[in-house]
Amino acid sequence: MEKDLYGEQRRVWTILKNRRKPINEYLQVPSIEPQQWRTHFKKLYDNENNEPEISLVENDDEIITPIPIQLIQEMTGKLENRKSPGVNNISNEIINYGGQPPIQEIYERFKKI
């Protein structure tokens, strides 16, 4: 190891020495009683459609314009290929080479947001 890392031995030994130090950090998380969870979710889902209540903030002073589809095309064109997909399992190649449907879907999602 010392031959391979000539000049970096001190840094390597510092890293190895620090690995042995115990971590003495504790996180204090307040506990939530099961009844509090039940009350919260009952209130959240207690309506006719069993859908969560969403309260939208309306602001008449500010007019919100949707993101132009050309900007979405420009930004998705800059996505790098051969990268791992995210949580949604959609790879950049699908967006880049999928033509108009993926771009249109992204546009519709942004409009909803």
Side-chain angles (χ1 to χ4, degrees):
M1 182 170 78
E2 288 184 12
K3 273 186 181 178
D4 292 338
L5 299 169
Y6 181 75
E8 293 291 323
Q9 295 94 349
R10 182 177 297 207
R11 183 171 162 230
V12 170
W13 287 115
T14 304
I15 292 169
L16 291 174
K17 186 170 58 170
N18 288 338
R19 281 189 71 208
R20 289 187 245 155
K21 290 182 181 178
I23 298 173
N24 293 324
E25 296 176 15
Y26 295 101
L27 181 63
Q28 295 290 329
V29 179
S31 64
I32 299 174
E33 298 296 321
Q35 185 59 37
Q36 289 175 309
W37 282 115
R38 279 189 220 102
T39 306
H40 170 73
F41 284 108
K42 183 174 169 74
K43 187 174 107 182
L44 187 65
Y45 289 102
D46 196 19
N47 60 18
E48 308 83 45
N49 302 333
N50 277 340
E51 293 180 12
E53 289 183 27
I54 300 172
S55 60
L56 299 175
V57 177
E58 295 182 15
N59 188 354
D60 293 336
D61 299 338
E62 183 180 339
I63 298 173
I64 300 172
T65 58
I67 298 172
I69 198 162
Q70 292 82 10
L71 181 61
I72 295 172
Q73 287 174 332
E74 181 183 322
M75 290 296 126
T76 55
K78 293 180 182 179
L79 293 173
E80 294 183 31
N81 291 334
R82 304 178 83 192
K83 298 290 181 185
S84 62
V87 181
N88 58 10
N89 288 327
I90 298 174
S91 66
N92 292 347
E93 287 86 354
I94 292 174
I95 297 170
N96 283 339
Y97 302 120
Q100 194 61 25
I103 305 252
Q104 188 65 34
E105 183 65 31
I106 293 169
Y107 176 71
E108 295 299 326
R109 301 264 173 154
F110 280 159
K111 278 190 350 185
K112 288 181 182 179
I113 293 171

